[in-house]
Amino acid sequence: PNAVLNGPAGRKLKAYLSNAQDRRTAVIVTHRSEFLQLADVIVQLSHGHAPDVGKREEMIKKIKEAA
């Protein structure tokens, strides 16, 4: 649950995930948009369903349009 991380801890987690990106598969559940840049694929979850799945650029565009 990265929503409870303060600024320095959040930055440290993002740096760790960024450095491990080429060597590991990670599933990140977040509301924090800065973590979306680490994703290859974004799965939108809503009430236990995945109504939308797509590549990072496509999904970020949809998220911005919906805001």
Side-chain angles (χ1 to χ4, degrees), residues 4-23:
V4 298
L5 295 176
N6 60 18
R11 286 189 292 277
K12 191 172 185 177
L13 175 61
K14 185 177 177 187
Y16 172 80
L17 292 170
S18 183
N19 290 333
Q21 198 169 11
D22 296 331
R23 303 181 314 270

Side-chain angles (χ1 to χ4, degrees), residues 52-67:
D52 213 353
V53 178
K55 293 185 178 183
R56 175 183 53 233
E57 295 82 12
E58 170 190 339
M59 292 300 291
I60 289 175
K61 182 179 176 184
K62 285 183 180 182
I63 291 166
K64 287 181 180 178
E65 289 173 352

